[in-house]
């Protein structure tokens, strides 16, 4: 396995487990249908949430490095995947708005980071794993197809959210009230993280075009030496 991708999968998996643990232990405090995942950052387990998102961001960056070193990502794919990582780091470091006390600089940066992350990941996956790319033709695998399919699903999630926000704006509704925000965000997050992990599995796999050379038949080898 490619070492950076292996480390990336481990870090991302650990981050996902930490956030999932928070989700399961906070069901009686945070409504997963209406409240966003970032609500965990405002509670006593805020440091766990920050650590989980930070690990996911670090793992994503390692996967991006692995894909770039193996020439599977390209410039656009690498920049987009790094944009997802940077957005996650901003989300982990800066807390979201606490609407009980009003907006804050930290909350504004948190929001920008989350938007950047959610927008960059679908672009990165679709560009990197698209069927007509040179990397796909050279090293296609089941993980590639899964990643591309999940990348398309992530893009559809983002398009659907954008459409709902536009419709709500026409009716004068705040963007966060036009949909069950917590449920929609969790659906998008699960899809995007699954797409990232599929990319990581692809990056960690052995090269498919590096088949061992077959030894020449002895008779053919002697014939070539005698002809020279």
């Amino acid at each position: 396995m490619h070492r950076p991708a292996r480390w990336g999968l481990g870090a991302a998996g650990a981050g996902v487990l930490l956030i999932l643990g928070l989700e399961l232990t906070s069901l009686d405090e945070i409504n997963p249908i209406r409240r966003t995942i970032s609500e965990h950052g405002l509670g006593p387990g805020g440091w766990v949430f920050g650590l989980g998102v930070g690990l996911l961001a670090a793992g994503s960056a390692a996967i991006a490095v692995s894909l770039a070193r193996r020439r599977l990502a390209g410039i656009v794919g690498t920049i987009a995947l790094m944009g997802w990582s940077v957005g996650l780091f901003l989300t982990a470091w800066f807390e979201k708005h606490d609407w009980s006390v009003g907006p804050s600089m930290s909350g504004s940066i948190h929001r920008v980071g989350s938007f950047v992350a959610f927008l960059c990941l679908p672009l990165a996956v679709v560009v990197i794993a698209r069927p007509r790319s040179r990397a796909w033709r050279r090293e296609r695998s089941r993980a590639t197809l899964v990643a591309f399919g999940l990348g398309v699903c992530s893009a559809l999630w983002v398009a659907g959210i954008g459409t709902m926000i536009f419709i709500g704006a026409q009716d004068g509704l705040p963007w966060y009230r036009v949909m069950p925000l917590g449920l929609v965000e969790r659906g998008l997050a699960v899809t995007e993280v699954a797409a990232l992990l599929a990319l990581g599995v692809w990056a960690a796999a052995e090269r498919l075009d590096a088949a061992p050379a077959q030894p020449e038949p002895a008779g053919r080898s002697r014939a070539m030496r005698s002809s020279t």
Side-chain angles (χ1 to χ4, degrees), residues 13-37:
V16 169
L17 289 177
L18 284 176
I19 298 171
L20 180 60
L22 278 178
E23 287 278 276
L24 295 177
T25 57
S26 304
L27 286 176
D28 56 341
E29 302 172 7
I30 297 178
N31 184 347
I33 297 177
R34 301 301 310 179
R35 299 292 185 178
T36 63
I37 303 173

Side-chain angles (χ1 to χ4, degrees), residues 160-179:
I161 293 171
T163 301
M164 292 298 296
I165 292 174
F166 176 78
I167 294 174
Q170 302 303 306
D171 297 333
L173 294 174
W175 67 270
Y176 51 86
R177 295 193 181 277
V178 298
M179 67 191 92

